[in-house]
Amino acid sequence: MAKKQTAEATEQDRLDGDPVFGYRALPGVADEMLDPHGNVRPVWQRLLSTLGRLDETDLANRFARADRYLRDAGVFYRAYGGRGSSERSWPLSHIPVLIDEAEWAVVSQGLIQRAELLERVVADIYGENRLVEEGLLPPALVASNPEFLRPLVGVKPADGHFLHFCSFEIGRGPDGNWWVLSDRTEAPSGAGFALENRVATTRAFSNLYAETHVHRLAGFFGAFRDTLQARKQHPDDRIAVLSPGIANETYFEHAYIARYLGFMLLEGEDLTVVGGRVMVRTVAGLKPVGVLWRRLDAAFADPLELNQSSHIGTPGIVEALRAGSVSIVNALGSGILETRAFLAFMPAICRHLLGEEQKLPSIATWWCGQQSERDNVAGNIERMVIGPAYSTRPFFDDNGQSVLGTSLCEGGSSVAERLGTGGGKLVGQEVVTLSTTPAWVRGRLTPRPMSLRVFAARTRDGWQIMPGGFARIGSGDDVAAIAMKAGGTTADVWIVSDKPVERTTLLPAEESFTRNMPGSLPSRAADNLFWLGRYIERAEGALRILRAWHGRFAEAADPNMPLLKDVTDYLAALDINARQPVPDSLLANIDSALFSAGNIRDRFSPDGWLALNDLSRTARKFHATVQAGDDATHAMTILLRKLAGFAGLVHENMYRFTGWRFLSIGRYIERGLHMTRLLGHMSGPEAPDGAYDMLLEIGDSVMTHRRRYNVNTAALTVTDLLALDPLNPRSILYQLNEIKTEVELLPNAFVNGQMSPFYRETMRLHSGLAVMTPEAMTATVYKQLERDLERLSDLLAQTYLG
């Protein structure tokens, strides 16, 4: 802000007198902050008073804290365009939207009624089909609807309900009343982002949030979590979030919600159907899944009976639904309720099914498959938006599916002719003028159009509305610019009470507790953890060799000296270009580690994720700027420190359960391979001068060698320390010791009292190396040991990851 405000100034004074608060509502548009008379609503006054006491630097620092939190937490959404997909930072609008508790109670009652209405509609569509029979829904809107899943007709959900979690896009019109712009019943997204918006916004306004009676969100999620727990039919059933995978635009939220609620995060390939029951493939075998909160479109859930081209579903899911052995949130086929044309028939259906008018009306919609509706749309075309009848997206998504009605007048044909020939596939909707909310734009509060995404969850006490949600804020006055890909932002929504509110938490209130063991580890998660360990260790091994190479190159300035040329040839066989200061293959290994970690975001700490991303960014910066020699040596040291920081975070923070063991085994196998190859290549009789010193440097064992051996470096001492010393964390034998220890604790290490093939091979490798002497370690032995370690990796995959 340009200046400090005096304590005596009123909020209205600030609005009128300060250029920063030179806020003017748009003519003819309702504004969230101002009442119809242009006065500041009471619910906003505390926030405005806080803003009035802050100067530009204070505000910038507060907004920076919120943005930093989102970056550190790794919050992103995936945007798709002509060049493919990319991860984009979450676009937070730092000024929250404030709504009075009493007004929100009215909105909530309307949404509860709507959720129950939608439940009745979808139950009829897949049940008795009375709405079509009695003329309340046109047959074409069901039978020809791509969201209508015929194999689900007659399949009743195990718990008796089709809908469990819904969201609604709502907006306030010029008259100040709220409308429903669209319903979300297929796989509603955004609840996790609403939580992150709340955390980020409270970082910016921590004092204000503490002083304001804002309803918390945790109670909503806790009630829904408890309800899903109660949906389990068997005590050993698992609850999981079913995700399309890392390429999905809201994958971050899938991982966040799974971690927040303590559910498994699964993909279609993790599941199989056996005997009519859904099972998850884990490292301990198949385990039953009783509840799936799906975040993928229903048609892709079962390639056997639904979309045969799906690669993200699980064959047999529909069979399990018929058997009543699994509950799916929401039921497959419920996406039909999102059909835009349905909005035209909801008022009559509400009167028919519930015997009352809609408490929260839909945006005015006309299906052009009927003559009178076509005539109405044609007669009022200048204030209409025309879109596909079967579309499940609101008109302001800026997705190219809707056009202003006046554009139908172009091209020679009359509006009536165009609507007549294709009216059954079109709907007309009244152009919406959305209310505005304050957004911080270029140093001042500016009114921007807004819609709210609100969430409803079925609980044991009935439908419950999240006390908040998230707002979508336009980048300009155009309603179409609300979409994030069109430059829109999102804001937290505060439901404010005039009295203290309950400070709910997901932590149990009981003083006594039961210590539950962590859930079963899916095979896919184990696979990613194992390879994360291998890629990280592979990157570290390459960095250590490259640092040693560039350090010597800086002294000799001759890449053809025998030692450097020998190491260059060795690295070339591993597809590493020693003369490239930060080789492409090193970046590829770090990228692969990021990809593996990204696939297990629900099992990965935010600190670890931040450290890994920092390593990747630094490596890419060095790739473009670093020169060979001293510069590269320094860069390798920095990267090694960052990598060590990541490894330290994982080591200190990760729970010592099955997932930790796979991550560790991956690291030990890769480190063992790294040292085996190096010793096999550089410790033979033909090793060039300086090879043993270089081996000790790469193995981070120079000081240890000096303390343990009172001689200069030699083949036997270096071999003893780097291959056979059980106390040296860089030696081959140390890795096999650690692998043996971890394998003993894996599921099914013993089967019917006998060692598994994987455990037996581990024991054979360990005992074979433990009895070796330095004199016996020849190039042939190293080569065989390399093959055995690779085979050990294959055996692990066959035993646990298949």
Side-chain angles (χ1 to χ4, degrees):
M1 293 186 178
K3 61 181 180 180
K4 293 279 188 177
Q5 301 294 333
T6 62
E8 294 77 14
T10 67
E11 278 71 25
Q12 191 61 47
D13 290 337
R14 295 189 185 98
L15 284 170
D16 293 336
D18 195 309
V20 173
F21 282 110
Y23 187 91
R24 293 292 183 272
L26 300 180
V29 178
D31 190 272
E32 295 301 314
M33 191 173 72
L34 305 180
D35 66 18
H37 304 291
N39 299 316
V40 176
R41 299 177 191 270
V43 72
W44 285 88
Q45 290 177 0
R46 187 188 293 269
L47 172 61
L48 290 181
S49 177
T50 299
L51 292 176
R53 292 192 296 269
L54 301 174
D55 60 25
E56 291 180 356
T57 301
D58 293 333
L59 271 177
N61 289 337
R62 286 171 177 264
F63 294 164
R65 282 203 299 270
D67 294 337
R68 183 168 59 248
Y69 166 78
L70 292 172
R71 286 195 305 272
D72 291 351
V75 184
F76 72 91
Y77 74 101
R78 191 174 299 279
Y80 296 89
R83 297 183 179 179
S85 65
S86 62
E87 291 185 4
R88 297 187 183 179
S89 300
W90 188 244
L92 179 69
S93 179
H94 302 92
I95 305 298
V97 176
L98 275 58
I99 300 176
D100 184 80
E101 177 185 55
E103 181 180 9
W104 191 252
V106 176
V107 172
S108 296
Q109 287 302 311
L111 295 179
I112 289 172
Q113 180 206 50
R114 192 173 190 88
E116 189 55 40
L117 175 61
L118 293 175
E119 170 70 30
R120 300 276 292 273
V121 172
V122 71
D124 178 81
I125 288 173
Y126 289 99
E128 297 180 350
N129 208 19
R130 291 286 183 84
L131 293 176
V132 171
E133 180 183 334
E134 296 175 12
L136 291 160
L137 263 182
L141 288 183
V142 176
S144 300
N145 199 314
E147 299 297 328
F148 178 59
L149 303 183
R150 203 172 300 276
L152 275 302
V153 172
V155 178
K156 295 183 179 180
D159 64 352
H161 298 296
F162 287 82
L163 301 180
H164 308 82
F165 195 87
C166 307
S167 72
F168 307 93
E169 206 79 30
I170 66 174
R172 195 198 295 269
D175 58 359
N177 293 319
W178 291 95
W179 298 333
V180 174
L181 305 174
S182 65
D183 303 301
R184 287 282 169 265
T185 54
E186 173 71 324
S189 64
F193 291 120
L195 277 169
E196 288 289 37
N197 278 354
R198 173 61 54 87
V199 176
T201 304
T202 55
R203 294 291 176 94
F205 299 107
S206 54
N207 294 339
L208 175 66
Y209 184 76
E211 297 167 359
T212 306
H213 305 316
V214 180
H215 283 271
R216 272 45 175 181
L217 304 181
F220 172 83
F221 287 97
F224 186 55
R225 180 193 61 184
D226 295 343
T227 303
L228 293 188
Q229 294 282 3
R231 295 276 183 263
K232 298 194 301 183
Q233 300 179 43
H234 306 281
D236 61 341
D237 280 348
R238 276 80 178 157
I239 301 177
V241 175
L242 181 59
S243 171
I246 193 171
N248 186 263
E249 61 184 355
T250 57
Y251 175 76
F252 168 84
E253 184 193 25
H254 306 169
Y256 179 87
I257 285 289
R259 184 168 59 237
Y260 182 68
L261 298 181
F263 298 157
M264 301 176 78
L265 179 65
L266 302 178
E267 297 179 21
E269 66 181 273
D270 295 325
L271 301 172
T272 186
V273 178
V274 179
R277 293 195 70 184
V278 178
M279 314 290 282
V280 55
R281 297 182 177 92
T282 78
V283 296
L286 297 178
K287 303 296 179 183
V289 175
V291 181
L292 282 172
W293 185 359
R294 68 176 177 89
R295 299 302 301 271
L296 77 168
D297 290 347
F300 293 97
D302 188 345
L304 192 64
E305 297 201 49
L306 301 174
N307 188 334
Q308 296 180 4
S309 65
S310 171
H311 296 286
I312 58 175
T314 305
I317 284 284
V318 173
E319 172 195 343
L321 284 173
R322 292 195 186 101
S325 64
V326 66
S327 294
I328 294 186
V329 178
N330 288 323
L332 300 184
S334 56
I336 193 172
L337 296 171
E338 298 184 1
T339 305
R340 189 186 304 187
F342 275 26
L343 297 178
F345 303 93
M346 282 300 176
I349 292 174
C350 184
R351 289 189 291 270
H352 178 77
L353 293 180
L354 302 183
E356 57 189 18
E357 297 293 334
Q358 288 182 290
K359 296 178 181 178
L360 208 60
S362 308
I363 180 176
T365 305
W366 295 268
W367 178 53
C368 298
Q370 299 165 305
Q371 185 63 50
S372 60
E373 280 71 15
R374 282 199 300 272
D375 292 344
N376 180 67
V377 170
N380 297 276
I381 199 68
E382 70 282 350
R383 56 188 184 90
M384 291 285 177
V385 172
I386 309 297
Y390 299 114
S391 171
T392 60
R393 293 293 178 263
F395 72 93
F396 51 80
D397 260 5
D398 192 35
N399 56 9
Q401 288 190 320
S402 298
V403 296
L404 289 174
T406 51
S407 67
L408 291 183
C409 302
E410 303 167 358
S413 301
S414 68
V415 173
E417 289 174 344
R418 293 203 174 194
L419 292 177
T421 56
K425 297 180 180 180
L426 297 173
V427 291
Q429 288 186 310
E430 190 173 18
V431 174
V432 172
T433 301
L434 292 175
S435 66
T436 60
T437 192
W440 195 257
V441 181
R442 291 185 291 276
R444 61 187 299 143
L445 289 177
T446 305
R448 288 287 186 255
M450 172 208 72
S451 70
L452 298 186
R453 182 166 296 183
V454 188
F455 302 90
R458 185 185 295 279
T459 72
R460 286 179 286 192
D461 298 323
W463 286 101
Q464 183 173 329
I465 305 301
M466 179 191 289
F470 75 79
R472 299 206 294 175
I473 312 296
S475 58
D477 295 341
D478 185 5
V479 173
I482 281 182
M484 285 188 292
K485 63 183 178 181
T489 56
T490 75
D492 191 17
V493 179
W494 291 6
I495 308 304
V496 181
S497 174
D498 57 3
K499 56 185 179 298
V501 298
E502 183 180 1
R503 295 179 179 271
T504 53
T505 173
L506 289 189
L507 297 176
E510 298 85 1
E511 294 184 1
S512 61
F513 63 90
T514 300
R515 177 183 290 169
N516 296 316
M517 293 303 290
S520 302
L521 180 68
S523 297
R524 182 183 54 83
D527 189 26
N528 280 290
L529 285 164
F530 174 71
W531 279 101
L532 172 61
R534 290 200 64 173
Y535 286 129
I536 285 298
E537 194 60 40
R538 193 173 293 178
E540 181 179 338
L543 282 169
R544 290 188 176 279
I545 299 174
L546 289 166
R547 183 173 66 170
W549 191 96
H550 283 283
R552 284 155 179 76
F553 175 73
E555 297 173 358
D558 180 10
N560 293 315
M561 65 178 289
L563 178 58
L564 292 185
K565 188 173 187 312
D566 183 71
V567 176
T568 299
D569 293 341
Y570 170 79
L571 290 173
L574 299 177
D575 196 30
I576 300 174
N577 183 356
R579 301 191 186 191
Q580 187 179 16
V582 181
D584 295 334
S585 55
L586 175 64
L587 295 181
N589 282 324
I590 295 174
D591 286 345
S592 295
L594 262 175
F595 180 78
S596 295
N599 277 295
I600 47 173
R601 285 291 294 272
D602 60 313
R603 298 175 180 272
F604 213 69
S605 74
D607 287 337
W609 181 254
L610 180 64
L612 194 54
N613 274 281
D614 181 50
L615 173 67
S616 176
R617 286 193 297 269
T618 305
R620 292 199 171 277
K621 182 181 75 173
F622 288 164
H623 178 71
T625 60
V626 165
Q627 302 296 315
D630 276 334
D631 197 22
T633 304
H634 179 64
M636 297 301 123
T637 300
I638 292 174
L639 291 176
L640 280 169
R641 288 173 182 165
K642 288 181 178 289
L643 200 149
F646 166 76
L649 282 169
V650 171
H651 186 273
E652 293 298 324
N653 296 343
M654 195 168 180
Y655 191 82
R656 294 325 194 244
F657 200 57
T658 310
W660 158 264
R661 306 195 195 293
F662 279 94
L663 176 69
S664 299
I665 291 171
R667 292 197 68 188
Y668 296 140
I669 287 178
E670 192 64 39
R671 183 173 289 188
L673 279 167
H674 166 70
M675 192 54 66
T676 298
R677 292 181 182 128
L678 267 177
L679 287 170
H681 182 81
M682 297 180 66
S683 65
E686 298 180 358
D689 289 342
Y692 299 137
D693 291 327
M694 192 173 189
L695 276 170
L696 289 175
E697 181 183 334
I698 294 170
D700 200 17
S701 300
V702 174
M703 295 181 63
T704 304
H705 186 275
R706 290 173 184 168
R707 287 197 301 266
R708 293 209 61 184
Y709 307 98
N710 294 320
V711 296
N712 293 328
T713 54
L716 293 182
T717 60
V718 170
T719 300
D720 184 58
L721 183 59
L722 296 182
L724 303 177
D725 192 330
L727 301 180
N728 181 8
R730 295 284 168 180
S731 77
I732 304 170
L733 182 58
Y734 182 92
Q735 313 314 314
L736 289 174
N737 273 335
E738 295 301 308
I739 293 171
K740 180 173 73 72
T741 299
E742 299 299 343
V743 170
E744 288 173 350
L745 299 172
L746 287 180
N748 301 325
F750 288 89
V751 180
N752 297 325
Q754 294 185 334
M755 292 181 184
S756 69
F758 177 55
Y759 189 15
R760 185 178 294 110
E761 179 65 11
T762 302
M763 292 293 291
R764 186 189 70 78
L765 273 181
H766 174 264
S767 58
L769 189 63
V771 299
M772 295 291 283
T773 62
E775 293 84 357
M777 298 299 293
T778 64
T780 302
V781 172
Y782 285 123
K783 198 65 181 176
Q784 182 59 47
L785 184 56
E786 180 184 346
R787 287 193 292 266
D788 288 342
L789 284 168
E790 292 285 15
R791 181 170 179 272
L792 192 64
S793 177
D794 293 339
L795 273 175
L796 180 142
Q798 293 169 18
T799 306
Y800 295 105
L801 309 181

